[in-house]
């Protein structure tokens, strides 16, 4: 079994009591704090489900699928890791039970196990450990942090927990730290905080041979000293290593500083015998300051079919927040269900958009809700409301313009109407032979070269950029000339096979759509230029409407 290089330290984060406690944000926050002390980190998410990746899962099951630069379709926690830290994440940072079994079974079929019985221990656990050590080996990293998905007690996560137990056994406590995130609920009538669920969860962990070094306790209210002493006593953790992760009445971006105040990074550094130097987060603090001192306000309508879900458009919502902070405006996001727009027979869309200073149509798959998105785009185009389309949002804008400006009756994407007389959006050439669903789209970073007189080139203020993709369909290039004659400009092209990456309407206050997903490249400390400029245009509109 390959060992990790001798320098990297490992931090394992498990979750107890229930899901949705914010493990992803907790680990991303620690990553940021460690970087703020000058260390180099990476973060791995290990998901116990059998799917190879979430690319084939419905947003109802999983929320957003986050795409890395190298084209991995991953859990949305990787989005938090990238937004909170400077780590560059790749396929290696997202591991599932499906991937682990897939490699072991392939090896078994090749005969690599030389007649041995293939078992969970050691073969599955060795593969898990190898994936963890691989990340550590790739670069000179001070810390590799691993989030074990799911809740302790789940059957599926046992091989992952066994693997991290073995790593602790092999490398010792000087190189490994176990953090357990739990919930301290309050009984509302008595107003009392309860430690029992945490005690049970730690007991469960200990039965698997894992002794947590630190407990991170989600609480609605601050924790008293007595409470901490009690948790420490019953859970066998030193009192100062019981850290409160209080609910905050503000933005998730304030969490790292809050946890720092509670001693989070100090305890980690102490565990590893590292000096607790001064924490420096100058860019992050600047971002927090502009986010918290708005000088205006703007309202953006996001029109999609998964609007009721918190996380289906997570990176877009976050990128809007970054763009708003960059303009020092407060943002309100109106979530509008495109299927409800379709019900509006008379085509009077004012009731949906009377408060909107900008309209954004995000990505998606399948024809449900498409006509509502097209109606919203038509409204934005005609009323001069800033419009930003992303992936499917761009495809809908192309359909709308084809039907209503270029006179292409019943123009459509061949994804939604294979018999359309004008397939203005059609399957990418190399997609025509693809039959398997998983991991087969055009995925990850591709170069987009901007057209000289385009607005988008000015916004980026550079000639080209690599942006992330996740799609199968594309603007049909033979319609380009017709569209340009009617006032739509192709603002960006992927040069290798002449794929349309962005469109814009010249005669409009702000109408830009991209085939790529700029939201995956937006960071609080580096807001994406398109989101920044879109919010600027929307804020201008709200300011002039207020006059
Ligand atoms: N369904 C469209 C395609 O496959 C758009 C994909 C998306 O919006 N991510 O091209």
């Amino acid at each position: 079994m390959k060992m990790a290089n001798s320098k990297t330290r490992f931090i394992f984060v498990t979750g107890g009591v229930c899901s949705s406690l914010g493990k992803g944000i907790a680990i991303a926050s620690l990553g940021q704090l460690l970087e703020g002390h000058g260390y180099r980190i990476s973060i791995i998410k290990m998901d116990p489900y059998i799917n190879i990746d979430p690319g084939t899962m419905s947003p109802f099951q999983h929320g957003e699928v986050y795409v890395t630069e190298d084209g991995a379709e991953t859990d949305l926690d990787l989005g938090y890791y990238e937004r909170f830290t400077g780590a560059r994440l790749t396929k290696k940072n997202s591991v599932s039970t499906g991937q682990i079994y897939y490699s072991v079974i392939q090896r078994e079929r090749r005969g690599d196990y030389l007649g041995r019985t293939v078992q969970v221990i050691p073969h599955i656990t060795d593969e898990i450990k190898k994936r963890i050590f691989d990340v550590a080996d790739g670069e000179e990293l001070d810390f590799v942090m691993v989030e074990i998905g799911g809740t302790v007690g789940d059957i599926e996560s046992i091989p992952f927990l066994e693997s991290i137990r073995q790593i602790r056994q092999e490398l010792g406590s000087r190189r490994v730290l176990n953090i357990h995130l739990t919930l301290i609920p309050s009984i509302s009538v008595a107003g009392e905080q309860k430690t029992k669920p945490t005690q049970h969860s730690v007991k469960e962990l200990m039965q698997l041979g894992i002794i947590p070094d630190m407990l991170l306790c989600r609480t609605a209210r601050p924790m008293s000293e007595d409470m901490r002493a009690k948790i420490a006593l019953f859970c066998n953790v030193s009192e100062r290593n019981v850290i409160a992760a209080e609910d905050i009445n503000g933005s998730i971006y304030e969490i790292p500083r809050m946890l720092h105040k509670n001693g989070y990074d100090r305890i980690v550094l102490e565990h590893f015998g590292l000096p607790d130097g001064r924490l420096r987060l100058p860019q992050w603090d600047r971002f927090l300051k502009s986010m918290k001192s708005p000088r205006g306000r703007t309202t953006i309508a996001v029109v999609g079919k998964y609007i009721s879900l918190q996380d289906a458009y997570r990176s877009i919502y976050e990128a809007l927040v970054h763009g708003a902070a960059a303009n020092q405006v407060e943002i309100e996001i109106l979530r509008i269900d495109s299927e409800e727009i379709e019900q509006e027979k008379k085509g009077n869309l004012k009731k949906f958009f009377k408060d909107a200073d900008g309209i954004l149509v995000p990505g998606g798959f399948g024809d449900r809700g498409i006509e509502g998105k097209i109606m919203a785009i038509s409204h934005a185009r005609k009323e001069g409301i800033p419009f930003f389309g992303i992936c499917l949002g761009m495809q809908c804008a192309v359909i709308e313009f084809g039907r209503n400006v270029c006179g292409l009756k019943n123009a459509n994407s061949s994804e939604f109407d294979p018999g359309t007389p004008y397939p203005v959006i059609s399957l990418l050439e190399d997609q025509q032979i693809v039959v398997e669903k998983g991991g087969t789209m055009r995925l990850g970073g591709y170069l987009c070269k901007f057209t000289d007189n385009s607005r988008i080139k000015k916004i980026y203020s550079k000639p080209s950029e690599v942006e992330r993709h996740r799609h199968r369909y594309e603007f049909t290039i033979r319609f380009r000339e017709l569209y340009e004659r009617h006032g739509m400009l192709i603002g960006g092209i992927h040069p290798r096979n002449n794929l349309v990456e962005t469109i814009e309407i010249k005669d409009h206050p702000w109408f830009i759509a991209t085939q790529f997903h700029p939201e995956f490249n937006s960071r609080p400390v580096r807001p994406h230029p398109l989101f920044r400029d879109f919010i600027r245009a929307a804020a201008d509109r709200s300011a002039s409407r207020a006059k």
Side-chain angles (χ1 to χ4, degrees):
M1 173 83 222
K2 187 166 83 168
M3 291 295 271
N5 72 48
S6 59
K7 184 169 148 263
T8 312
R9 302 160 190 89
F10 296 87
I11 299 174
F12 299 117
V13 182
T14 51
V17 182
C18 63
S19 59
S20 303
L21 293 183
K23 228 185 313 153
I25 296 181
I27 197 163
S29 299
L30 183 57
Q32 174 181 119
L33 296 172
L34 292 172
E35 284 185 339
H37 287 285
Y39 295 106
R40 294 197 57 186
I41 63 120
S42 189
I43 310 179
I44 309 174
K45 174 81 193 273
M46 303 211 126
D47 276 307
Y49 49 68
I50 315 284
N51 304 61
I52 296 284
D53 61 43
T56 52
M57 286 187 219
S58 143
F60 283 109
Q61 293 280 311
H62 193 270
E64 163 186 277
V65 173
Y66 187 78
V67 181
T68 57
E69 188 77 35
D70 68 341
E73 297 176 276
T74 73
D75 187 82
L76 56 83
D77 276 330
L78 272 84
Y80 288 117
Y81 307 163
E82 288 206 324
R83 286 189 283 272
F84 276 61
T85 75
R88 273 191 56 248
L89 306 179
T90 68
K91 291 193 164 95
K92 291 185 171 177
N93 297 80
S94 177
V95 176
S96 71
T97 295
Q99 290 173 29
I100 299 286
Y101 272 82
Y102 196 62
S103 346
V104 170
I105 291 170
Q106 276 180 326
R107 233 177 279 139
E108 185 275 336
R109 291 289 84 184
R110 280 202 308 263
D112 292 0
Y113 292 106
L114 306 175
R116 280 191 295 270
T117 309
V118 182
Q119 295 179 300
V120 173
I121 305 173
H123 303 104
I124 293 297
T125 46
D126 276 358
E127 180 63 23
I128 294 172
K129 284 155 63 186
K130 178 177 162 299
R131 302 273 178 136
I132 296 173
F133 294 148
D134 266 0
V135 171
D137 271 358
E139 289 172 84
E140 283 285 286
L141 295 171
D142 299 300
F143 294 95
V144 166
M145 311 166 70
V146 184
E147 175 182 350
I148 308 292
T151 308
V152 169
D154 297 346
I155 289 178
E156 296 98 332
S157 54
I158 290 177
F160 291 100
L161 296 170
E162 167 60 15
S163 305
I164 67 171
R165 183 198 68 77
Q166 291 179 16
I167 295 179
R168 169 75 171 238
Q169 184 64 19
E170 286 159 24
L171 302 182
S173 66
R174 302 296 289 170
R175 293 201 36 217
V176 177
L177 171 82
N178 288 316
I179 300 177
H180 189 55
L181 175 66
T182 78
L183 175 71
I184 309 289
S186 296
I187 305 297
S188 57
V189 190
E192 218 183 309
Q193 290 173 307
K194 291 292 181 190
T195 65
K196 194 67 103 192
T198 297
Q199 294 179 37
H200 280 298
S201 174
V202 171
K203 206 161 136 194
E204 191 90 36
L205 205 54
M206 285 186 176
Q207 274 171 8
L208 297 167
I210 297 172
I211 301 174
D213 301 293
M214 178 201 284
L215 292 178
L216 195 58
C217 305
R218 261 307 282 278
T219 66
R221 291 180 286 119
M223 248 178 5
S224 67
E225 284 306 310
D226 286 355
M227 202 64 186
R228 288 167 47 139
K230 184 171 174 190
I231 296 170
L233 178 66
F234 281 93
C235 297
N236 195 34
V237 174
S238 100
E239 202 174 315
R240 49 197 317 267
N241 291 10
V242 178
I243 309 266
E246 296 133 21
D247 289 357
I248 53 163
N249 187 11
S251 153
I252 51 162
Y253 296 119
E254 295 174 61
I255 292 174
R257 279 271 174 206
M258 178 269 288
L259 292 174
H260 169 70
K261 200 175 78 235
N262 294 352
Y264 194 26
D265 41 328
R266 181 167 41 83
I267 304 292
V268 170
L269 294 174
E270 226 173 70
H271 173 93
F272 290 112
L274 295 167
D276 175 20
R278 202 163 80 86
L279 176 72
R280 290 195 65 253
L281 300 169
Q283 287 176 302
W284 190 265
D285 290 339
R286 228 174 295 134
F287 157 75
L288 287 181
K289 203 165 152 219
S290 42
M291 187 179 65
K292 285 159 70 181
S293 50
R295 290 191 294 222
R297 204 186 149 71
T298 196
T299 304
I300 302 293
V302 175
V303 181
K305 67 175 170 181
Y306 296 115
I307 284 305
S308 59
L309 305 176
Q310 274 295 323
D311 280 331
Y313 307 115
R314 179 48 52 209
S315 293
I316 289 187
Y317 296 148
E318 298 306 328
L320 287 169
V321 170
H322 310 158
N327 286 282
Q328 265 192 294
V329 293
E330 198 178 332
I331 182 168
E332 188 186 341
I333 300 178
L334 290 179
R335 302 172 182 207
I336 300 180
D337 187 336
S338 52
E339 287 179 283
E340 274 176 32
I341 300 182
E342 285 171 10
Q343 307 303 319
E344 181 48 47
K345 294 280 179 303
K346 286 188 275 331
N348 177 15
L349 299 198
K350 287 230 164 67
K351 72 171 193 207
F352 294 103
F353 297 114
K354 64 179 181 345
D355 297 324
D357 301 306
I359 298 178
L360 187 151
V361 177
F365 296 84
D367 62 355
R368 198 161 54 78
I370 286 296
E371 292 302 324
K373 292 178 187 175
I374 295 175
M375 286 161 77
I377 295 169
S378 207
H379 182 74
R381 181 176 58 75
K382 291 182 196 150
E383 299 290 319
I385 304 171
F387 166 75
F388 192 1
I390 294 178
C391 206
L392 180 66
M394 176 182 117
Q395 299 177 355
C396 289
V398 169
I399 296 169
E400 194 280 328
F401 200 81
R403 288 181 190 172
N404 301 329
V405 182
C406 304
L408 303 175
K409 194 158 173 261
N410 294 329
N412 215 330
S413 160
S414 54
E415 180 181 7
F416 315 130
D417 178 6
T420 171
Y422 303 110
V424 290
I425 302 291
S426 53
L427 208 53
L428 285 161
E429 213 172 288
D430 47 5
Q431 285 289 332
Q432 293 178 4
I433 44 162
V434 171
V435 275
E436 285 204 5
K437 286 269 185 290
T440 54
M441 282 186 250
R442 180 171 180 241
L443 288 167
Y446 286 92
L447 185 73
C448 172
K449 216 165 157 286
F450 303 119
T451 316
D452 267 348
N453 51 356
S454 63
R455 184 198 292 246
I456 200 164
K457 186 171 182 178
K458 280 203 205 81
I459 295 174
Y460 274 87
S461 40
K462 48 157 84 161
S464 63
E465 184 60 288
V466 174
E467 292 279 10
R468 303 184 194 181
H469 296 70
R470 181 172 185 253
H471 66 115
R472 291 185 205 283
Y473 293 81
E474 182 80 32
F475 184 104
T476 312
I477 201 74
R478 73 183 143 93
F479 292 99
R480 177 176 186 167
E481 207 200 303
L482 176 73
Y483 272 71
E484 295 208 310
R485 241 188 297 128
H486 284 85
M488 182 174 272
L489 180 80
I490 307 300
I493 288 278
H494 173 60
R496 206 168 54 90
N497 37 6
N498 205 26
L499 299 177
V500 172
E501 294 282 11
T502 81
I503 56 153
E504 54 190 75
I505 293 180
K506 285 186 252 175
D507 192 14
H508 189 284
W510 207 101
F511 192 108
I512 295 181
T514 63
Q515 188 55 72
F516 50 74
H517 290 269
E519 69 273 23
F520 296 141
N521 271 330
S522 188
R523 311 274 177 268
V525 298
R526 200 165 22 84
H528 192 283
L530 284 175
F531 280 90
R532 194 187 54 218
D533 206 61
F534 173 57
I535 297 285
R536 183 203 48 73
D540 284 353
R541 182 180 154 90
S542 45
S544 68
R545 286 205 311 161
K547 274 186 201 146

